[in-house]
Amino acid sequence: MTVFANKETFNNLGLEQVQQSHAHASQDCYICRHPLALHPTKNKPAKSKLHSAVRIAACGHIVGQQCLDAWLEVGNTCPTCKRLLFEPTGDPITQQDINNILRTLGPDYGEEAIMAVVARRVARQEHEQARMRQAHEIELERMKAEETEARNDAFKLSNDDFLDSDEDMDFEEEEEDDDEAFEADEDGSGSS
């Protein structure tokens, strides 16, 4: 699966122009739901909603050129199958992005319809970011638990750390011997 480094590279290498032909089946744009200009026509209405089509090379889906341009202002996936087309920038959708979309598609589809699509996209983006934050927090908790377990394992006593009953030492006798040696040392140093 080819994923382009950025939007510009995708636009240059990842799109194929679809030429009008009688061989094409009629198709609506997945984004705006208006018919694509896939068939040559003799009489083109003055206010036709038909628009030029492009094929996304990675998955073969055909959408309207203008609609895809607007879609890619706020996303990086195929609008049909959600295949990743280029690496995300991580930048949030800005007012400038929305203005560009409205300028491009507003006259044909209306501001209200476009804003509804953008609002859904923003909500989807926020949901995805919340999901990623939650996954990150879960991963941090897992790593913290593993680290704590490793630290506890380092201090855990094993059977080798205990003396067998026949090897037990009498610590009281050792303490008495140490005390006697200390007293003898004091007496010897105090008499000189």
Side-chain angles (χ1 to χ4, degrees), residues 7 14 22 29 55 59 65 79-80 87 89 92-93 100 107 113 118 124 127 131 142 145 166 171 175-177 185 188:
K7 180 180 165 184
H22 290 292
C29 175
R55 178 179 290 112
C59 56
Q65 175 72 58
T80 307
E87 293 296 328
T89 62
I93 297 171
N100 290 342
V118 170
R124 208 175 313 134
H127 176 73
R131 189 189 64 72
R142 185 190 63 75
D166 58 343
F171 290 108
E175 286 178 11
E176 288 175 9
D177 291 342
D185 189 37

Side-chain angles (χ1 to χ4, degrees), residues 53-152:
V54 291
R55 178 179 290 112
I56 299 171
C59 56
H61 290 113
I62 298 174
V63 294
Q65 175 72 58
Q66 281 185 314
C67 293
L68 184 62
D69 289 343
W71 176 272
L72 295 178
E73 287 287 332
V74 294
N76 63 333
T77 61
C78 169
T80 307
C81 67
K82 308 299 183 241
R83 179 182 216 151
L84 186 65
L85 301 175
F86 54 88
E87 293 296 328
T89 62
D91 298 334
I93 297 171
T94 65
Q95 186 62 47
Q96 182 63 37
D97 295 333
I98 294 169
N99 292 343
N100 290 342
I101 294 167
L102 286 173
R103 189 173 31 262
T104 304
L105 299 176
D108 292 333
Y109 306 108
E111 183 176 328
E112 189 175 310
I114 292 167
M115 291 308 295
V117 172
V118 170
R120 284 195 304 270
R121 177 67 184 165
V122 168
R124 208 175 313 134
Q125 208 174 38
E126 288 173 353
H127 176 73
E128 180 65 19
Q129 288 174 346
R131 189 189 64 72
M132 289 176 68
R133 271 194 306 274
Q134 184 180 23
H136 180 69
E137 289 170 2
I138 290 169
E139 181 65 15
L140 286 176
E141 287 296 320
R142 185 190 63 75
M143 289 171 55
K144 191 186 296 184
E146 286 177 359
E147 190 176 291
T148 301
E149 186 177 330
R151 237 188 338 243
N152 289 343

Side-chain angles (χ1 to χ4, degrees), residues 156-168:
K156 215 180 254 183
L157 296 176
S158 69
N159 287 338
D160 295 338
D161 295 331
F162 295 99
L163 297 173
D164 291 334
S165 60
D166 58 343
E167 295 178 7
D168 286 348

